[in-house]
């Protein structure tokens, strides 16, 4: 049975992560709402057959639960990896997903991507015992004293590096000096 992953937000800044995972042999289940955006990201992949749509609004607790349950049941095992970029407007989404995965025998990884303001909150994410939790903060880029947001490639490549090198906590870009952060 092939490795499988969920990427929440994989039609946006995490598109490069979806393509990299599919090149690495994962079946990638991509959570999004806009099916046209999904189809166009899929068409850019070398392995479109490995990219699967989960079209659901992650604010809809029940629909989210059912869609994860269906995919996990189909494989009969927990995902090897979840990469999560979820807006703060959906605080229930990640706990619902983690509950669906549940306690498992085999270790698996959660890459939790968060915005820069979360760095100072250090929220405690409760994960099942078998989950190896990795946290990624999105900072900003500073060039010649001028700051800018990170590009999609910088974000996706930063997340891929975390997966490959298994860093526990990472900032992509920088958070210093905080006064240079764009709001
Ligand atoms: N520190 C930084 O540099 C930083 C941090 C954050 C954002 N940004 C920039 O800001 C831009 C916009 O940010 P963004 O947060 O919109 O990220 P994004 O990654 O470009 O897009 C959001 C992703 O999440 C999905 N999504 C959003 N709401 C959803 C929902 N309710 N249910 C299911 N899926 C949902 C979207 O799919 P659908 O559209 O199909 O729903 C899409 O795949 C980014 O592209 C990035 O360039 C930069």
């Amino acid at each position: 049975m092939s490795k499988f992953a969920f990427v929440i937000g994989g039609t946006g800044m995490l598109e490069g992560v979806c393509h990299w995972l599919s090149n690495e042999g994962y079946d990638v289940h991509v959570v999004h709402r806009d099916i046209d955006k999904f189809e166009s990201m899929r068409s850019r992949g070398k392995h479109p057959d490995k990219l699967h749509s989960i079209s659901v609004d992650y604010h809809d607790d029940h629909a989210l639960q059912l869609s994860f349950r269906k995919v996990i049941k189909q494989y009969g095992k927990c995902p090897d990896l979840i990469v999560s970029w979820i807006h703060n407007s959906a605080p229930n989404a990640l706990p619902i997903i983690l509950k669906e995965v549940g306690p498992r025998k085999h270790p698996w990884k959660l890459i939790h991507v968060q915005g820069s303001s979360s760095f100072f909150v250090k929220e405690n994410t409760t994960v099942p015992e078998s989950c190896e939790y990795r946290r990624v903060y999105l900072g900003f880029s500073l060039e010649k004293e001028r700051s800018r947001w990170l590009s999609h490639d910088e974000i996706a490549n930063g997340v891929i590096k975390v997966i490959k090198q298994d860093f526990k906590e990472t900032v992509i870009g920088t958070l210093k000096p905080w006064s240079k952060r764009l709001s």
Side-chain angles (χ1 to χ4, degrees):
M1 171 79 59
S2 68
K3 295 182 282 189
F4 83 106
F6 290 102
V7 181
I8 303 138
T11 58
M13 59 169 90
L14 297 177
E15 170 170 343
V17 176
C18 296
H19 294 318
W20 180 78
L21 287 172
S22 65
N23 294 346
E24 291 291 303
Y26 284 80
D27 270 309
V28 186
H29 297 266
V30 183
V31 174
H32 63 90
R33 291 166 300 182
D34 182 337
I35 192 70
D36 293 337
K37 235 163 98 182
F38 170 79
E39 288 301 346
S40 75
M41 86 75 121
R42 191 169 187 243
S43 69
R44 290 188 284 272
K46 281 192 198 138
H47 301 282
D49 53 311
K50 292 265 184 200
L51 297 167
H52 311 282
S53 158
I54 301 185
S55 203
V56 65
D57 184 336
Y58 55 50
H59 296 93
D60 183 338
D61 297 358
H62 189 57
L64 183 68
Q65 182 187 46
L66 291 184
S67 43
F68 272 72
R69 186 171 296 175
K70 188 173 160 205
V71 176
I72 291 168
K73 193 171 171 201
Q74 175 192 328
Y75 287 84
K77 62 168 194 153
C78 70
D80 299 280
L81 178 72
I82 296 182
V83 184
S84 166
W85 167 243
I86 297 176
H87 293 160
N88 292 339
S89 58
N92 294 340
L94 190 55
I96 285 171
I97 291 166
L98 292 174
K99 198 167 165 213
E100 267 325 297
V101 178
R104 299 278 167 167
K105 272 197 221 130
H106 300 290
W108 62 279
K109 277 190 185 40
L110 168 64
I111 313 289
H112 191 186
V113 181
Q114 295 186 289
S116 50
S117 49
S118 299
F119 185 75
F120 299 99
V121 181
K122 295 276 178 203
E123 82 174 41
N124 202 358
T125 308
T126 309
V127 297
E129 236 175 71
S130 54
C131 172
E132 295 172 357
Y133 181 78
R134 308 291 181 247
R135 203 194 302 258
V136 177
Y137 294 105
L138 301 176
F140 53 88
S141 173
L142 196 58
E143 286 162 1
K144 295 182 186 152
E145 293 299 299
R146 294 189 65 173
S147 56
R148 62 162 176 82
W149 290 120
L150 302 169
S151 67
H152 284 195
D153 279 351
E154 286 167 334
I155 294 171
N157 290 336
V159 171
I160 291 166
K161 196 167 167 189
V162 168
I163 298 170
K164 280 181 170 169
Q165 303 194 3
D166 204 22
F167 298 135
K168 290 204 163 52
E169 186 171 299
T170 306
V171 176
I172 303 179
T174 185
L175 293 173
K176 290 179 196 158
W178 185 247
S179 57
K180 291 277 184 190
R181 177 182 172 268
L182 300 149
S183 51

